[in-house]
Amino acid sequence: APRDSTSCATGGTCKLATGLKDLNIPALSYLRAEPRKTERPMGAKFRNFRREDLTLYWDNGTPEGTYSGIIQALAGTSTLTYEGHSFIFKKKSGEVVTRLTMRKGKAIYVIPPDDSTVKETAFYKKTMDEMKFLEQYYAENGTPWLAYYPRDKPILPIWEASYLGQQHRLESDIGHLSCDPFGSSSSSSSSSSSSSSSSSSSS
């Protein structure tokens, strides 16, 4: 909670916490400190900025590799993989364009454009913005960003919070419902004694 939550709740002056560090809460992570295997799983996004389709192969140690699909011109694809694994991108002729190795903390891998005008496209600029955001997020949190970028605004009702750690307490004169009390004449509900719930939200 903030350093003076009572004062904040009553509209007084208080120093608000602006992040988890201010609340002395350690960064949260879904990743194990030590992976079960030496190769940690990860998600990877590929962006092809060349004006030609490329064939994607996972490097399994053989000369031909394992076919993994087509990445279209000026488009992207994604895959689940492991740190240290590599992917090879080839032209239809079989010529190798590039080889990309998965690295810890890096989520987007780019096949550079062969035409300088591609750098002026919205797709290229958006990817550069996303890369910058993902790198900054990982540097600050030590955990990869998993949601879409940019993330859409919430579409479900949400109680806004004035400060980190604020709680909203809601009360209702309707108890547990066993059926719809408004849509059926035979509906019934349990005791109408007041029930309350609390939820916390953070800005």
Side-chain angles (χ1 to χ4, degrees), residues 32-46:
R32 291 174 174 268
E34 294 294 333
R36 292 177 177 176
K37 299 181 178 180
T38 55
E39 302 167 326
R40 187 187 292 276
M42 59 174 287
K45 301 178 181 180
F46 301 122

Side-chain angles (χ1 to χ4, degrees), residues 4 22 26 34 36 69-70 90 93 113 123 132 143 152 199:
D4 185 359
D22 290 340
E34 294 294 333
R36 292 177 177 176
I70 300 291
K90 299 181 181 181
S93 63
F123 176 50
K132 182 178 179 180
T143 300
D152 293 334
S199 61

Side-chain angles (χ1 to χ4, degrees), residues 97-116:
V97 173
T98 189
R99 183 178 187 273
L100 301 174
T101 300
M102 307 298 98
R103 296 191 287 115
K104 179 180 179 180
K106 185 175 178 61
I108 297 183
Y109 297 82
V110 168
I111 296 96
D114 52 356
D115 178 353
S116 60

Side-chain angles (χ1 to χ4, degrees), residues 113-120:
D114 52 356
D115 178 353
S116 60
T117 61
V118 172
K119 294 183 178 181
E120 302 302 319

Side-chain angles (χ1 to χ4, degrees), residues 36-144:
R36 292 177 177 176
K37 299 181 178 180
T38 55
E39 302 167 326
R40 187 187 292 276
M42 59 174 287
K45 301 178 181 180
F46 301 122
R47 298 291 183 264
N48 178 19
F49 290 113
R50 298 176 68 93
R51 295 187 181 276
E52 61 181 327
D53 296 349
L54 298 176
T55 306
L56 170 63
Y57 295 88
W58 170 57
D59 185 358
N60 63 354
T62 65
E64 61 276 5
T66 299
Y67 174 79
S68 299
I70 300 291
I71 178 169
Q72 296 181 333
L74 301 179
T77 188
S78 60
T79 187
L80 294 176
T81 182
Y82 294 85
E83 294 173 5
H85 284 212
S86 297
F87 293 87
I88 301 169
F89 298 82
K90 299 181 181 181
K91 297 181 179 181
K92 291 182 179 180
S93 63
E95 178 185 348
V96 175
V97 173
T98 189
R99 183 178 187 273
L100 301 174
T101 300
M102 307 298 98
R103 296 191 287 115
K104 179 180 179 180
K106 185 175 178 61
I108 297 183
Y109 297 82
V110 168
I111 296 96
D114 52 356
D115 178 353
S116 60
T117 61
V118 172
K119 294 183 178 181
E120 302 302 319
T121 63
F123 176 50
Y124 184 88
K125 293 179 179 179
K126 179 179 180 297
T127 299
M128 295 301 107
D129 288 341
E130 183 176 3
M131 287 181 65
K132 182 178 179 180
F133 171 81
L134 295 181
E135 290 172 358
Q136 180 178 349
Y137 184 88
Y138 185 84
E140 293 177 353
N141 299 279
T143 300

